[in-house]
Each structure stands twice: as structure tokens, then as C-alpha cells.
Amino acid sequence: MTAIKKTIGFKALESTDLRKMTIEYFQKSGFKHIDNKTTDNIIIFERGSITSNMWTFNPLNWKSTIDIEISGQDVKANFNINATGQIPTNKDELLWETFIGNYQKYLLDSKFDFLAENSKALNTNKRKNLKYSGWAALGGLIGGLPAGLIAYWTGINTIVSIGAAGGAIALLTMKINDDKKKNAL
């Protein structure tokens, strides 16, 4: 999976400046407001890049584009998250769902502390995903040991790196897919 797409639509109850609150929510969350010259009803935000996807452990930093249409008190938001370079876990998708839900909660209650709630959700995600680092290390060991022997016999040292990386990715992918299947049942 290289993309996560989410859509929400709701009606704000109180008459507040939804545009201002939307811009505040996403800018304070680290997103860049993209100037939309075609219409004032649609607000666009972006964050991350394909390159940064390879290095970040924070799913909210993945390359993403969010377009939000505000018409009166009606809000419709489309979240397009590019997960290239990542193996999204259920917990990563749950973090995005929490982030999206917190946006809605903030527009419905301007006193809602979205920064604290998003920070709490991100910390929970990091703790839960830490176990996958252990699986990657084990996979690296499982792949690296035989690759080390082959490298020793052949004199081609790069075989160790390839075997360790391949083992880490294979075991990590297998574990994440197993967890997704368990949660789907």
C-alpha cells in the first residue's frame, strides 16, 4: 500500500470562522497552507516529501495533501497520504484517524486542546510501533548471518548489507501484515 485516503464531512454547529480555525489547526500541526487561487471555498495544505518519507518515524510527517471545502457551516475534507517508503501499520492509520477526528472536534468545540490530544496520540503510536524495530533487528540478524558466511566465502562484503537489509524488511513486512490480518478478523 502506498496511499492512504480518508474523507470526512460534517456540519459545524456554532457559527464560527471555520476557515480561520481550519488554517490554525493545520498550521499549528506543521502543515503548509497552499494558496488556492481558484476558489475561496477550498483550502489546501501539504506536508512532507517522498524523500522525507524514507526517514521519518512520524506518520503525520509523511507526504500528504489535504483539501478542505467549507461552504457555510458544511465542511468536507479529503486526506491523501502518500506512504511511499513506509509500511503503514494499523497504528499509523489509527493515528491519522485520530488526527482527522481531532480536527472535527476542534471545529465543533473551539476550546478543544487539539495540540495536546495530537501529541498524546503520536506518543502512543511511537510506543506501539517500537516493537517493530525489534522485529526488524531480528530479521536483519536472520538475513545477515547467512549472508555473512556467503560474503566470507566469496570475498564480496556487500552481500552482508544486502542480506541484513533484506531480512529486516522481509520479517518486518511479514509481522505488520500478520498484525493487520489479526485486527481485520
Side-chain angles (χ1 to χ4, degrees):
M1 176 196 291
T2 58
I4 300 170
K5 296 187 182 287
K6 306 274 184 193
T7 301
I8 61 165
F10 60 94
K11 187 175 203 70
L13 300 177
E14 37 184 281
S15 73
T16 57
D17 189 346
L18 298 176
R19 182 177 177 80
K20 179 182 172 192
M21 290 176 72
T22 294
I23 292 171
E24 178 183 26
Y25 182 87
F26 287 98
Q27 285 185 334
K28 285 188 174 183
S29 298
F31 288 80
K32 181 180 176 188
H33 178 215
I34 305 302
D35 207 10
N36 184 10
K37 306 259 191 249
T38 58
T39 178
D40 285 340
N41 286 0
I42 297 176
I43 309 167
I44 300 171
F45 298 93
E46 289 182 348
R47 188 167 189 181
S49 68
I50 296 294
T51 307
S52 68
N53 273 17
M54 311 286 179
W55 305 107
T56 185
F57 291 103
N58 178 352
L60 297 178
N61 286 340
W62 293 349
K63 179 171 176 47
S64 54
T65 303
I66 301 160
D67 59 88
I68 300 165
E69 182 178 355
I70 298 174
S71 179
Q73 295 307 107
D74 293 320
V75 178
K76 182 179 180 194
N78 297 302
F79 295 78
N80 298 302
I81 303 116
N82 186 324
T84 299
Q86 294 287 334
I87 306 169
T89 67
N90 288 334
K91 288 140 184 82
D92 296 333
E93 290 197 43
L94 181 61
L95 175 65
W96 271 101
E97 288 175 15
T98 300
F99 178 78
I100 293 165
N102 287 344
Y103 165 61
Q104 182 176 351
K105 286 178 187 175
Y106 177 61
L107 290 189
L108 296 175
D109 176 10
S110 62
K111 293 175 181 33
F112 178 72
D113 188 356
F114 66 87
L115 288 174
E117 291 302 315
N118 287 342
S119 179
K120 191 184 330 178
L122 179 60
N123 288 334
T124 300
N125 176 267
K126 285 180 180 178
R127 274 193 315 276
K128 288 183 176 181
N129 278 342
L130 189 59
K131 72 176 183 173
Y132 291 121
S133 298
W135 285 103
L138 180 61
L141 187 62
I142 291 169
L145 287 175
L149 290 173
I150 294 169
Y152 176 76
W153 290 327
T154 63
I156 305 171
N157 292 334
T158 56
I159 292 174
V160 176
S161 300
I162 294 168
I169 291 170
L171 193 58
L172 180 61
T173 303
M174 185 182 77
K175 182 60 180 159
I176 289 172
N177 288 335
D178 283 349
D179 287 352
K180 284 184 175 183
K181 285 178 188 171
K182 286 179 192 172
N183 288 336
L185 298 178

